[in-house]
Amino acid sequence: MEWISNSRILIVGLGLIGGSYAKALKRLGYHITAIEKRQSAIDYALENHIINDGYTTVDPEIVGSADAVIFGLYPKVFKDWIAQYQDYLKPGAMLTDVTGVKSCIVYDIQKMLRDDVEFIASHPMAGREVYGVENANDRIFRDANFIIVPTDKNTPEGIRWVGGLARIIGFSRISVLSPEEHDEMIGYLSQLTHCIAVSLMTCSDNEHLVEYTGDSFRDLTRIANINDLMWSELFMLNRDSLLKYMDIFLGEFAALRDMIRDGRVEELREKMRLSTKRRAYFNK
Amino acid sequence: MEWISNSRILIVGLGLIGGSYAKALKRLGYHITAIEKRQSAIDYALENHIINDGYTTVDPEIVGSADAVIFGLYPKVFKDWIAQYQDYLKPGAMLTDVTGVKSCIVYDIQKMLRDDVEFIASHPMAGREVYGVENANDRIFRDANFIIVPTDKNTPEGIRWVGGLARIIGFSRISVLSPEEHDEMIGYLSQLTHCIAVSLMTCSDNEHLVEYTGDSFRDLTRIANINDLMWSELFMLNRDSLLKYMDIFLGEFAALRDMIRDGRVEELREKMRLSTKRRAYFNK
């Protein structure tokens, strides 16, 4: 087994992803401490042996004993946490996160951060439409993508460390993108996708649709079950990339509508063949 | 086990759904004959014991020996078949179909059909993004919806017969809609959904996206792998309902875009809460 040198890991924010990291890492033998404001989440994680110990407040000794810290917080809360508590961090500690947007936080955090610790941003593409440590499941990382998002401030050691973390947890593919590339890509693949699911779901208030539907509508609206607090924050923090892709999609969709309206069947079929061809890249 | 009285069943058109019906019904002990123009499909079905016998041409004796006929044809081909071959049908035969649009075919077929046979339309909501009898799988009917689409010309016996067919095959929920209700519903749940998937897929020609994506984009574009011949025909035959829902969706999506552009976070969150509430109806 590959190994990362830091043996005491602190997870700050024990949601779905933080909790799933905890589960995976504890299974591998690491000592896992959690800081999470929700006592019931700590209780659940202790009862289910997902963590070794957990706290609802930020104690200097607890933070100071961690070799590595994984932040599973909302973007703004994450920045505030660093501003307020970074003095507690152990010299040499490695930090990473699971945040869905990068440009708006990575530079700010690296700028304010002490010189003797390193924050290397990363994004595990393993989200689910369920939330909380109560749904934690370390199988979500299998077959999932992991994106390392370094800047000029990161060291080769930092990049290797977070790549090692991803490998031991079981991610199947690890890529490196700049914060800007990451946010552009996420605007399309994740945020636009959620906007579409929400809009599709709100088209009708018919409560009986479940009696008639097939799997395609169910699949397209699975993520219409959405955490409004988290996603609205992510959308606003990546507004430019998201709006760019929303407008591209609007153009594609309106063009398709016009083809149908005008009975331009050959163009319609050409578009379908293009989508079929592009979808083929995604067949696993 | 419930039973339908017709023991010799003819399936015309051995695609994914026709083939899956054949598989399910043969397993239940019915004698299954197929007519399908593609010899390789007949060969596959015979080799895999999906049918008892199969033919690539329409023989009067073969058609005349069937107590029930299930049509797995594209809409226009289906109408042509009835016009050309209905004289071969056995008196008293029961007919149904699997067609994805109804108003444009059901009335025409019932109008031209002989008085001594009955066509009761139905729609098994069990399609997949794969095609052909080679993908036939009778498990696709489990947990699936089945819609009976009767008109004034249908008898209570006809409606009971097709409901019985759906039950023995294993559909989990059977509903009744008029042709107009069916087409309106399908314009939203199925056709709009496919238009969205195609448009989302054609937004970018980046071949590397698979390295970064999570499950949500994969789920929303699964059906972007689309049979362009079949779906363009279905779209054109249900153009009014589809265009109606495309415009409703465009309105919802554009409203969401404007909320994001203007930073109207409370409205955005309200919309997400609405979509979450409505999606809850679909949790199985």
Side-chain angles (χ1 to χ4, degrees), chain B residues 80-115:
Chain B
D80 292 344
W81 197 101
I82 293 292
Q84 197 169 351
Y85 301 118
Q86 63 162 312
D87 290 346
Y88 301 170
L89 291 165
K90 184 178 186 170
M94 300 300 299
L95 321 180
T96 191
D97 67 336
V98 306
T99 320
V101 290
K102 295 304 185 195
S103 308
C104 60
I105 56 161
V106 174
Y107 297 114
D108 290 350
I109 285 176
Q110 289 185 338
K111 198 171 169 186
M112 72 170 118
L113 200 62
R114 284 160 43 190
D115 284 339

Side-chain angles (χ1 to χ4, degrees), chain B:
Chain B
M1 191 187 78
E2 193 161 358
W3 193 246
I4 57 173
S5 55
N6 322 82
S7 59
R8 289 184 72 90
I9 298 176
L10 171 63
I11 295 182
V12 180
L14 208 56
L16 174 71
I17 300 292
S20 300
Y21 269 50
K23 207 166 189 171
L25 290 166
K26 184 156 180 302
R27 200 192 291 272
L28 291 170
Y30 293 92
H31 184 277
I32 307 297
T33 302
I35 295 178
E36 157 64 45
K37 64 182 177 190
R38 196 161 57 94
Q39 181 66 51
S40 61
I42 296 288
D43 294 343
Y44 178 91
L46 285 169
E47 279 159 27
N48 290 276
H49 312 292
I50 292 171
I51 58 174
N52 295 95
D53 41 64
Y55 307 88
T56 56
T57 53
V58 184
D59 182 276
E61 271 189 51
I62 299 302
V63 176
S65 67
D67 302 307
V69 188
I70 299 167
F71 290 90
L73 299 173
Y74 287 15
K76 287 176 189 168
V77 178
F78 178 26
K79 273 165 77 169
D80 292 344
W81 197 101
I82 293 292
Q84 197 169 351
Y85 301 118
Q86 63 162 312
D87 290 346
Y88 301 170
L89 291 165
K90 184 178 186 170
M94 300 300 299
L95 321 180
T96 191
D97 67 336
V98 306
T99 320
V101 290
K102 295 304 185 195
S103 308
C104 60
I105 56 161
V106 174
Y107 297 114
D108 290 350
I109 285 176
Q110 289 185 338
K111 198 171 169 186
M112 72 170 118
L113 200 62
R114 284 160 43 190
D115 284 339
D116 61 343
V117 297
E118 178 167 356
F119 169 55
I120 167 78
S122 61
H123 189 178
M125 299 295 293
R128 287 289 178 280
E129 75 285 9
V130 291
Y131 299 91
V133 68
E134 293 81 355
N135 289 299
N137 177 356
D138 52 349
R139 291 187 302 277
I140 62 178
F141 303 126
R142 287 188 213 156
D143 299 324
N145 290 320
F146 185 90
I147 306 171
I148 303 173
V149 190
T151 71
D152 291 346
K153 290 221 175 184
N154 285 111
T155 64
E157 292 73 31
I159 297 171
R160 271 200 296 278
W161 170 76
V162 83
L165 178 71
R167 270 188 296 275
I168 62 170
I169 286 177
F171 283 89
S172 76
R173 181 156 27 193
I174 299 168
S175 305
V176 177
L177 291 177
S178 72
E180 293 73 22
E181 288 168 335
H182 170 275
D183 289 352
E184 162 110 6
M185 178 278 297
I186 221 70
Y188 177 40
L189 291 180
S190 171
Q191 298 189 332
L192 171 62
T193 302
H194 281 77
C195 289
I196 287 171
V198 167
S199 304
L200 176 58
M201 198 68 241
T202 57
C203 279
S204 168
D205 62 359
N206 185 340
E207 296 182 17
H208 296 282
L209 293 173
V210 66
E211 296 160 28
Y212 316 125
T213 189
D215 280 351
S216 53
F217 186 84
R218 271 205 201 88
D219 279 355
L220 263 83
T221 56
R222 185 177 57 81
I223 55 171
N225 177 32
I226 189 168
N227 178 330
D228 61 293
L229 188 61
M230 181 174 94
W231 282 96
S232 61
E233 181 170 336
L234 293 174
F235 285 0
M236 296 320 293
L237 289 171
N238 197 34
R239 180 151 46 168
D240 290 347
S241 289
L242 174 55
L243 285 172
K244 173 183 152 181
Y245 279 104
M246 288 186 92
D247 285 333
I248 292 173
F249 173 78
L250 268 174
E252 289 292 312
F253 187 83
L256 198 70
R257 187 219 18 208
D258 292 350
M259 288 173 199
I260 292 166
R261 184 195 59 203
D262 303 342
R264 285 182 268 131
V265 176
E266 259 318 305
E267 286 173 63
L268 184 59
R269 291 185 57 189
E270 181 60 37
K271 192 98 163 168
M272 290 176 177
R273 287 192 292 264
L274 178 64
S275 85
T276 299
K277 184 179 152 211
R278 289 198 181 154
R279 185 56 175 75
Y281 300 139
F282 287 81
N283 294 338
K284 289 200 286 193

Side-chain angles (χ1 to χ4, degrees), chain A residues 245-259:
Chain A
Y245 279 104
M246 288 186 92
D247 284 333
I248 293 173
F249 173 78
L250 268 175
E252 290 291 313
F253 188 83
L256 198 71
R257 185 211 33 199
D258 293 349
M259 289 173 200

